[in-house]
Amino acid sequence: MSSLTPLNAKPESLTELVLERLQEAIVSKQIAPGTRVSEALLADLLGVSKTPVREALLRLRHVGLVTAATGGLRVVEPSAETIRNAYELRAALERSAAVYAALRRADADAKTLIELAHTSVTSAEVGTPADFREADARFHRLVARCCGNPALESAIGDLRLLTSALRLRDVPDTGGSGGCAIEHVYVAKAIEAGDAPRAAQAMESHVEHVMQTVLDTLAQAQPTA
C-alpha cells in the first residue's frame, strides 16, 4: 500500500477519486487480497481526510470488494464461490433489465445498442483487451439504463463493478471475447425487436457464459496438489 500516491482534487470529487484509486489498487494488488485496511492509514497515504476514505470504503463494502474483519475491514480474497455468487446475481438482474429494455427502450437507444454490440465485435477481433472491456462496459451500461428502473440500474452497476474488479484481479486473461461480443449482438437485436422473452434468454445466457469462462480459467490457474 505504500506505493499509493496523494490525490489532488476538489472536495466534491474526492470520494469518487478515492473510490477509483482504491479499486485500482485492489485490482493491481497494490493492496493485496486479504489485507486489512484502515481509514487513517489510507487517508494518510492518499493525502486526504478520513471522510472521503470512509465513504469510499462503505461503497466498496456494499459492493463486496472489502468485507468485515475483526476490528475493521479487509480486502476480499480470491474465491470461486465469490465470483459465482456475483455472476449468478448479475445474470438474474441483467435478465430483468433486458426484459424491461425491450419493452421500454427508445428507438435511438435501440440503434445505439446495435452499434455498440458491433463495436464490441470489432474490438474483440482487431482491438486490444482494453478496447473490448470499454465496448463491453458501454453496452451493458446502456442496457441497464434502457430498462427505465434506476434502482435496478444502480444494482447492476454495483455488480458489474464487483465482477469486473474480481475478473481483472484474479482471472486477468480468460480469452473468448469474440463469442461474448457476438452474444451482445443477439441481445441488442432482441431488444431492438421488442422481444422481451428472447432478450431475457439472450442476456442470461451471455452472463452465465462469461461466468463459466471465468470459473474455468480460475480453476485451470490454481495449482494442483
Side-chain angles (χ1 to χ4, degrees):
M1 280 196 293
S2 59
S3 59
L4 290 176
T5 55
L7 292 167
N8 294 303
K10 295 179 180 179
E12 62 268 20
S13 65
L14 271 179
T15 297
E16 286 300 317
L17 283 175
V18 169
L19 177 64
E20 182 178 329
R21 181 65 62 85
L22 293 181
Q23 182 185 346
E24 290 172 352
I26 290 170
V27 169
S28 67
K29 299 183 182 179
Q30 283 181 281
I31 304 178
T35 299
R36 292 180 181 274
V37 291
S38 77
E39 293 175 11
L41 177 58
L42 291 173
D44 183 60
L45 290 172
L46 295 173
V48 298
S49 70
K50 288 195 288 186
T51 299
V53 173
R54 181 181 306 115
E55 292 171 349
L57 287 174
L58 284 172
R59 175 76 191 284
L60 290 173
R61 183 177 179 182
H62 172 72
V63 167
L65 282 177
V66 299
T67 59
T70 303
L73 299 170
R74 65 178 176 82
V75 176
V76 67
E77 298 191 52
S79 162
E81 182 181 9
T82 299
I83 290 173
R84 180 182 295 107
N85 290 345
Y87 271 105
E88 285 180 349
L89 181 54
R90 181 177 159 185
L93 294 185
E94 291 210 71
R95 175 189 174 95
S96 294
V99 167
Y100 295 124
L103 298 174
R104 299 170 178 169
R105 89 291 181 276
D107 290 343
D109 285 333
K111 179 181 178 181
T112 301
L113 273 177
I114 295 290
E115 292 171 352
L116 287 175
H118 285 292
T119 296
S120 73
V121 173
T122 301
S123 298
E125 292 174 346
V126 300
T128 66
D131 291 332
F132 175 75
R133 286 195 297 271
E134 174 61 22
D136 176 78
R138 291 174 63 197
F139 177 81
H140 283 275
R141 282 198 300 266
L142 183 54
V143 173
R145 182 169 66 78
C146 287
C147 80
N149 184 324
L152 181 56
E153 181 181 359
S154 177
I156 289 170
D158 287 343
L159 281 166
R160 288 193 60 259
L161 191 159
L162 176 60
T163 56
S164 296
L166 293 177
R167 182 174 180 176
L168 285 171
R169 187 192 70 176
D170 302 332
V171 197
D173 185 15
T174 59
S177 57
C180 291
I182 291 171
E183 289 167 0
H184 289 165
V185 176
Y186 297 154
V187 173
K189 287 185 175 179
I191 291 174
E192 181 187 41
D195 189 336
R198 184 158 60 97
Q201 183 58 51
M203 180 63 87
E204 183 177 37
S205 296
H206 168 57
V207 178
E208 289 182 345
H209 171 214
V210 175
M211 175 186 71
Q212 196 57 55
T213 299
V214 173
L215 290 173
D216 288 346
T217 305
L218 180 66
Q220 292 167 9
Q222 292 175 336
T224 56

